[in-house]
């Protein structure tokens, strides 16, 4: 397999900060690579350098002549009023029939080809960009977060296309499922470097976990050994007969080294400013009909949602989740019927693509200050910025230079500072790295205000949802069970099975638990007395054994020291017998010491056990 591209010690700095420091890797023809890393790690920067949109500050890129590179544009390369076919022909220089043929692979039929791009739904606009990318007849692709905001059918088309693609690619994505389906290798961008792992995303995570586990296990062993040696030294340093042994243990101790575990960059810790806790209804919808001028999306909506509810708005793509959120946000007019927010409730809305509304001349602090509620202090703004990882000078960064994930974080931070009692969140986890999604989920889970949110991320939904509403076939209803039930029913449907009752299964377990606890009360006391008696006698026995072991160690050490002394005094008189005996003594001493240390630990445990009762 030919190497198509080689990166050698690539370096890229923005101001005083080096984003990439020493990035080296080579990519082969047919290598399908998923690119992962924290927000702001430099993934998009790396893509832009490869594409030639940005110059590295150091290092070299070597392209093979056989490389035919193409990429998915991050920004729209067309104007909304452009006609699809005209744009494709102009942009790629290809004939009409060729454009039509490739567009057909993404199910862009003649009607769509004749349409204005701005009039197409989001997923279809991406299909136009994918067609443009392919028309360049590439053998290597660069795709930076192609799966964000794609509707499910376009996502499946893209997955199928990538699986069959006869060439290699680098795909940046925070979507684990998507990467699993499309990539066989994983490129990690971290701490300014890149690391190519020869396995897919799941194997990569397993590898990372295993690596961490091994390092932790090694360090634990070293720590334990350190404690044992220190214990030994403290115990025997003062005694003349054991001082030498203590000294040698000190030497051993100084040689023990733990492996440094590169700390995953600063952790995101999100705290949401508290809102006033009140009872009552947050939202009530009465015979509401939602949709657009010429299209009804859902009707007959009757809902009463209590304050403090965390409502997961679920349903397949295209069923109208965003339309519902836009309507109750006041962003889209209700067709008929009405909805009403509780008294004095203010609503904050995080829309899809919200960050395209950021002012490019604003800096991070400026944006947050504008969004923040009146009484929010400068320090609160800085704290919130830091929670979303804008630390120190980062708050002076212009929004125009922020990475995708950083923009999403900034908009979320602004929304949280606005201290609204109701949050409407439309796919807030797009662009966010795995760690941030978890931190946000935990923070929202503990939030006392009302939340309506749309998300495809199961872990995230699980952390937050207290109520589920389901949008299906033009109807919006409260789902009678929990999110767990909802997923369970979906899974059963996918397997073609009849679902059992989840709540029943749960109650059986709790009944058993209570019953067994009651029965045990009396015999438990008896057992406790017996256990205590045994612990006492074990303690005495162990002490005796420890004393005996110490005697043996002392005795053998004395003998071995004498043999050493003899050798030192007679350097030219080699005695095999003496050497064998001292070797044997060393083995015995070490074995005895190991046992002795184990017994000391047991003794400590017993001591604690006896002290507890
Ligand atoms: N022109 C610039 N000036 C200053 N800083 C910049 C500039 N361009 C990018 N950065 C910073 O460089 C860092 C890397 O950005 P990059 O877009 O490569 O991250 P990323 O890994 O793609 O992140 P994400 O997962 O959020 O997309 C970010 O902290 C970003 O703010
Ligand atoms: Mg990026």
């Amino acid at each position: 397999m030919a190497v198509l591209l080689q990166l050698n010690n690539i370096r890229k700095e923005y101001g005083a900060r080096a984003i990439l420091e020493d990035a080296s890797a080579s990519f082969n023809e047919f290598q399908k690579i998923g690119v992962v890393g924290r927000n702001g790690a430099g993934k998009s920067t790396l893509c832009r350098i490869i594409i030639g949109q940005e110059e590295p500050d150091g290092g070299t890129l070597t392209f093979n002549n056989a490389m035919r590179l193409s990429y998915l544009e991050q920004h729209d390369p067309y104007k909304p009023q452009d006609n699809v076919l005209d744009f494709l022909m102009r942009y790629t220089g290809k004939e009409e029939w060729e454009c039509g043929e490739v567009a057909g692979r993404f199910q862009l039929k003649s009607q769509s080809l004749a349409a204005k791009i701005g009039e197409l739904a989001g997923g279809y606009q991406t299909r136009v960009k994918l067609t443009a990318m392919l028309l360049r007849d590439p053998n290597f692709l660069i795709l930076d977060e192609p799966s964000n905001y794609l509707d499910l059918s376009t996502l499946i088309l893209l997955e199928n296309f990538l699986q069959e693609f006869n060439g290699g690619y680098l795909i940046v994505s925070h979507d684990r499922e998507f990467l699993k389906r499309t990539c066989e290798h994983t490129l990690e961008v971290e701490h300014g470097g890149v690391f190519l792992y020869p396995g897919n995303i799941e194997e990569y995570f397993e590898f990372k976990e295993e690596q961490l586990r091994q390092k932790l296990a090694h360090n634990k062993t070293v720590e334990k050994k350190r404690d044992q040696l220190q214990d030994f030294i403290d115990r025997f340093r003062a005694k003349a007969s054991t001082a030498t042994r203590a000294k040698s243990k000190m030497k051993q101790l100084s040689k023990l080294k733990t492996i440094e575990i590169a700390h995953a960059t600063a952790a995101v810790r999100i705290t949401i400013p508290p809102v006033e806790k009140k009872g009552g209804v947050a939202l009530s919808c009465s015979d509401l009909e939602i949709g657009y001028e010429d299209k009804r999306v859902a009707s007959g909506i009757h809902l009463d949602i209590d304050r403090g509810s965390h409502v997961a708005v679920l349903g397949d793509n295209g069923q109208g989740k965003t339309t519902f959120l836009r309507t109750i946000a006041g962003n889209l007019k209700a067709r008929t019927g009405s909805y009403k927010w509780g008294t004095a409730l203010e609503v904050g809305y995080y829309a899809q693509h919200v960050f395209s509304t950021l002012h490019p001349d604003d800096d991070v602090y400026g944006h947050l200050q504008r969004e923040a509620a009146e009484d929010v202090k400068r320090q609160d703004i800085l704290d919130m910025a830091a929670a979303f990882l804008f630390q120190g000078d980062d708050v002076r960064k212009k929004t125009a230079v922020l990475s995708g994930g950083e923009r999403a974080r900034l908009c979320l931070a602004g929304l949280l500072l606005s201290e609204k009692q109701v949050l409407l969140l439309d796919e807030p986890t797009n662009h966010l790295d795995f760690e941030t999604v978890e931190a946000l989920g935990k923070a929202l889970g503990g939030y006392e205000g009302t939340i309506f949110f749309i998300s495809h991320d199961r872990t995230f939904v699980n952390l937050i949802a207290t109520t589920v509403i389901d949008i299906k076939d033009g109807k919006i209803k409260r789902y009678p069970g929990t999110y767990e039930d909802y997923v369970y029913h979906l899974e059963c449907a996918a397997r073609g099975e009849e679902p059992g009752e989840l709540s029943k299964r749960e109650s059986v377990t709790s009944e058993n638990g209570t019953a067994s606890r009651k029965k045990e009360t009396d015999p438990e006391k008896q057992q406790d007395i017996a256990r205590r008696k045994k612990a006492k006698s074990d303690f005495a026995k162990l002490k005796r054994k420890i004393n005996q072991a110490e005697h043996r160690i002392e005795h053998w050490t004395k003998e071995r020291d004498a043999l050493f002394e003899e050798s030192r005094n007679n350097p030219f008189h080699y005695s095999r017998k003496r050497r064998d005996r001292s070797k044997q003594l060393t083995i015995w001493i070490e074995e005895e010491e190991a046992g002795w240390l184990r017994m000391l630990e047991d003794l400590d445990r017993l001591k604690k056990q006896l002290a507890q009762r």
Side-chain angles (χ1 to χ4, degrees):
M1 246 190 288
V3 171
L4 287 186
L5 169 60
Q6 192 147 12
L7 309 178
N8 288 313
N9 312 104
I10 297 291
R11 187 174 173 79
K12 180 76 197 172
E13 291 160 10
Y14 291 121
R17 206 173 132 219
I19 302 302
L20 298 172
E21 281 181 296
D22 191 9
S24 300
S26 57
F27 309 124
N28 292 328
E29 212 179 347
F30 307 120
Q31 224 171 8
K32 300 184 167 188
I33 304 164
V35 184
V36 295
R38 296 287 300 266
N39 290 137
K43 303 178 296 295
S44 299
T45 305
L46 186 73
C47 292
R48 286 197 300 269
I49 289 175
I50 295 175
I51 291 166
Q53 287 178 345
E54 215 154 324
E55 282 289 314
D57 295 316
T60 52
L61 289 102
T62 316
F63 290 90
N64 186 323
N65 283 339
M67 170 110 150
R68 298 188 307 279
L69 186 68
S70 192
Y71 53 90
L72 188 69
E73 294 275 5
Q74 284 248 286
H75 304 289
D76 298 341
Y78 43 71
K79 295 196 185 69
Q81 64 271 24
D82 281 346
N83 162 288
V84 174
L85 192 60
D86 290 346
F87 161 73
L88 287 174
M89 287 164 60
R90 188 185 71 229
Y91 189 72
T92 65
K94 294 281 159 100
E95 301 278 332
E96 183 176 333
W97 66 268
E98 218 175 332
C99 293
E101 191 185 284
V102 177
R105 282 198 236 165
F106 291 103
Q107 295 177 359
L108 287 168
K109 305 275 162 54
S110 49
Q111 204 185 352
S112 310
L113 287 176
K116 287 200 172 75
I117 304 182
E119 285 169 2
L120 298 178
Y124 277 78
Q125 293 190 12
T126 309
R127 294 181 195 203
V128 174
K129 287 206 257 179
L130 286 166
T131 308
M133 174 181 81
L134 256 202
L135 275 165
R136 293 180 164 154
D137 188 26
N139 63 355
F140 203 87
L141 306 172
I142 308 281
L143 298 109
D144 192 357
E145 301 204 35
S147 62
N148 284 342
Y149 309 117
L150 280 194
D151 56 55
L152 196 58
S153 49
T154 312
L155 188 67
I156 291 169
L157 271 179
L158 178 61
E159 281 176 3
N160 292 345
F161 156 72
L162 290 170
Q163 280 158 6
E164 284 162 23
F165 180 64
N166 190 22
Y169 46 70
L170 283 177
I171 302 184
V172 182
S173 176
H174 296 294
D175 183 335
R176 200 157 156 168
E177 193 60 35
F178 176 69
L179 287 178
K180 195 166 86 186
R181 287 168 194 253
T182 52
C183 296
E184 289 143 14
H185 303 262
T186 308
L187 184 78
E188 174 191 77
V189 182
E190 199 178 58
H191 305 303
V194 299
F195 164 68
L196 185 59
Y197 179 77
N200 76 7
I201 183 80
E202 296 301 318
E203 290 159 327
Y204 161 77
F205 277 121
E206 266 169 39
F207 161 77
K208 290 284 278 190
E209 253 172 48
E210 181 55 33
Q211 220 187 17
L212 184 66
R213 221 181 1 247
Q214 275 180 17
K215 282 185 190 168
L216 288 173
H218 170 88
N219 287 355
K220 213 170 150 195
T221 317
V222 168
E223 295 293 347
K224 200 169 157 198
K225 184 95 187 152
R226 268 187 189 157
D227 285 351
Q228 288 176 344
L229 289 172
Q230 193 59 55
D231 213 31
F232 193 101
I233 294 163
D234 295 346
R235 232 176 133 97
F236 294 115
R237 194 169 27 196
K239 277 194 202 168
S241 59
T242 51
T244 332
R245 260 189 310 136
K247 222 173 179 180
S248 94
K249 299 286 175 209
M250 274 156 129
K251 232 190 237 162
Q252 270 185 39
L253 184 65
S254 68
K255 281 188 196 146
L256 283 180
K257 295 265 177 298
T258 47
I259 305 173
E260 200 183 326
I261 296 175
H263 185 58
T265 17
V268 190
R269 272 206 198 89
I270 302 171
T271 351
I272 306 179
V275 292
E276 203 187 338
K277 202 176 160 187
K278 267 193 190 161
V281 173
L283 173 75
S284 72
C285 302
S286 164
D287 206 18
L288 178 68
E289 181 173 310
I290 60 168
Y292 306 88
E293 229 168 80
D294 48 358
K295 190 178 175 201
R296 181 174 64 206
V297 171
S299 60
I301 308 164
H302 291 274
L303 276 177
D304 276 322
I305 302 291
D306 286 339
R307 286 183 193 227
S309 304
H310 295 171
V311 186
V313 181
L314 305 177
D316 285 347
N317 280 81
Q319 292 288 340
K321 300 187 293 289
T322 296
T323 310
F324 177 63
L325 235 55
R326 280 186 62 192
T327 309
I328 60 173
N331 203 286
L332 188 69
K333 248 181 97 195
R335 275 167 64 99
T336 56
S338 65
Y339 71 90
K340 194 166 173 286
W341 288 105
T343 341
L345 281 185
E346 281 188 303
V347 179
Y349 179 37
Y350 180 90
Q352 284 188 5
H353 303 289
V354 66
F355 56 64
S356 55
T357 60
L358 286 171
H359 298 274
D361 292 333
D362 247 354
D363 60 16
V364 168
Y365 185 83
H367 173 82
L368 294 178
Q369 194 178 30
R370 184 134 34 81
E371 295 296 309
E374 259 178 30
D375 58 334
V376 175
K377 299 196 182 57
R378 181 182 159 78
Q379 193 53 47
D380 297 332
I381 295 180
L382 291 176
D383 288 349
M384 183 62 83
F388 280 89
L389 300 185
F390 296 106
Q391 279 145 346
D393 286 348
D394 287 348
V395 296
R396 289 290 157 219
K397 268 190 185 174
K398 291 266 185 271
T399 63
V401 307
L402 297 180
S403 76
E406 286 169 340
R407 282 169 199 226
R409 284 175 176 182
L410 180 61
C411 291
L412 281 165
L415 178 69
L416 299 182
L417 281 172
S418 69
E419 298 188 351
K420 302 279 178 12
Q421 301 90 338
V422 180
L423 299 178
L424 307 182
L425 308 170
D426 195 345
E427 302 211 24
T429 62
N430 274 342
H431 299 280
L432 298 183
D433 56 35
F434 305 117
E435 290 88 344
T436 312
V437 169
E438 202 181 321
L440 182 65
K442 282 186 186 148
L444 289 171
Y447 174 67
E448 293 197 321
T450 310
I451 308 174
F452 285 78
F453 71 105
I454 302 172
S455 172
H456 301 297
D457 187 318
R458 283 189 201 185
T459 324
F460 184 73
V461 180
N462 252 323
L463 285 169
I464 307 173
T466 58
T467 308
V468 174
I469 63 177
D470 190 19
I471 308 196
K472 204 159 119 190
D473 305 330
K475 295 275 163 254
I476 301 188
K477 285 189 189 140
R478 186 194 282 265
Y479 183 77
T482 62
Y483 178 62
E484 215 186 352
D485 295 332
Y486 182 88
V487 174
Y488 172 67
H489 277 76
L490 277 188
E491 282 170 356
C492 288
R495 288 196 300 266
E497 288 170 7
E498 268 297 302
E501 269 182 63
L502 205 65
S503 42
K504 233 185 223 167
R505 284 190 277 123
E506 274 166 4
S507 68
V508 172
T509 343
S510 65
E511 261 171 33
N512 285 350
T514 335
S516 59
R517 239 175 286 136
K518 261 189 197 154
K519 248 193 278 163
E520 279 167 9
T521 331
D522 244 357
E524 226 179 55
K525 259 191 187 162
Q526 285 173 353
Q527 272 178 9
D528 202 39
I529 295 165
R531 241 181 276 146
R532 194 178 160 73
K533 229 174 156 182
K534 188 169 178 316
K536 268 188 172 171
S537 107
D538 286 350
F539 187 81
K541 264 190 223 157
L542 203 56
K543 271 199 105 170
R544 244 193 333 272
K545 276 182 156 177
I546 289 172
N547 270 337
Q548 287 165 353
E550 281 174 358
H551 266 108
R552 276 195 295 273
I553 296 172
E554 214 163 307
H555 174 74
W556 287 329
T557 312
K558 256 191 199 154
E559 187 185 339
R560 192 183 56 172
D561 287 351
L563 289 174
F564 282 163
E565 186 70 17
E566 216 179 298
S567 306
R568 256 199 306 277
N569 293 340
N570 304 289
F572 305 112
H573 178 232
Y574 175 75
S575 154
R576 191 187 184 99
K577 212 170 138 203
R578 192 167 62 205
R579 196 204 66 174
D580 286 351
R581 178 68 183 165
S582 69
K583 242 183 165 180
Q584 181 64 68
L585 287 168
T586 306
I587 293 170
W588 284 347
I589 292 168
E590 277 178 1
E591 280 175 359
E592 195 70 45
E593 272 178 3
W596 171 76
L597 285 168
R598 269 197 304 275
M599 288 192 286
L600 281 184
E601 277 174 15
D602 290 347
L603 195 76
D604 262 359
R605 243 194 317 273
L606 280 173
K607 236 190 238 170
K608 276 185 201 137
Q609 211 175 318
L610 285 164
Q612 263 172 16
R613 288 150 201 277

